[in-house]
């Protein structure tokens, strides 16, 4: 069992992330990425997939060509937990710099 | 340059596909897949990604855990073309049987 982030945890932990936005109507965060091409986009997704499987915590994501949109939330807690922050931090660490949107 | 399918091509070529539905408001087709788990789902996506790159024709797709939703359309033709039929046929050929929805 894992609990949703408290208000204090939310303020401190989400502040350390880069480019993640709240999702309307859900306790979730989302970030959009743009890559040079599909090869780079799917390579990035593969790195995230391996990490997600290791954590047993999986993203909701959409891809078309060089764009990737990732939404994170913890189903069993019905909202954001430390698992989302951990996965988001990993994603930030491998995200491209200048092209990210 | 590639042209959209004619009415005759549409009738004959789409009939050979399995489980693909029209998308409301777009000249596109979509199919939903369900797998045993994320490992199987992402493995399937990786096979599709390699084929897509080989064809230089890429899907729009969404994944969460064991579910994958794939939408096919040809951007430069603003609708369905033989490329979509070819990629859909490949996807059908590697899609799981009993669990596919």
């Amino acid at each position: 069992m894992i609990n949703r982030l408290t208000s204090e945890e939310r303020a401190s932990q989400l502040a350390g992330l880069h480019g993640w936005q709240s999702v309307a109507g859900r306790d979730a965060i989302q970030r959009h990425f743009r890559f040079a091409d599909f090869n780079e986009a799917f390579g990035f997704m593969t790195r995230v997939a391996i990490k997600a499987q290791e954590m047993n915590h999986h993203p909701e994501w959409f891809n078309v060509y060089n764009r990737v949109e990732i939404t994170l939330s913890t189903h069993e807690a019905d909202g954001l937990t430390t698992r989302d922050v951990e996965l988001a931090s990993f994603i930030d660490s491998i995200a491209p710099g200048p092209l990210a949107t």
Side-chain angles (χ1 to χ4, degrees), chain A residues 4-5 10 23 25-29 72-74 78-80 84:
Chain A
R4 290 169 63 167
L5 295 176
R10 213 165 274 261
V23 177
R26 290 183 61 188
D27 188 24
I29 52 175
L72 300 177
S73 189
T74 302
D78 196 27
L80 287 172
D84 301 302

Side-chain angles (χ1 to χ4, degrees), chain A residues 40-85:
Chain A
E40 278 196 15
F42 199 77
F44 164 80
M45 290 176 72
T46 303
R47 293 190 67 186
V48 174
I50 293 169
K51 179 68 174 182
Q53 188 69 4
E54 178 188 289
M55 291 179 61
N56 192 28
H57 186 62
H58 303 89
E60 300 170 35
W61 49 4
F62 172 83
N63 160 247
V64 59
Y65 194 55
N66 66 337
R67 293 194 293 114
V68 179
E69 299 172 9
I70 304 181
T71 302
L72 300 177
S73 189
T74 302
H75 186 258
E76 69 181 272
D78 196 27
L80 287 172
T81 69
T82 53
R83 287 185 199 155
D84 301 302
V85 175

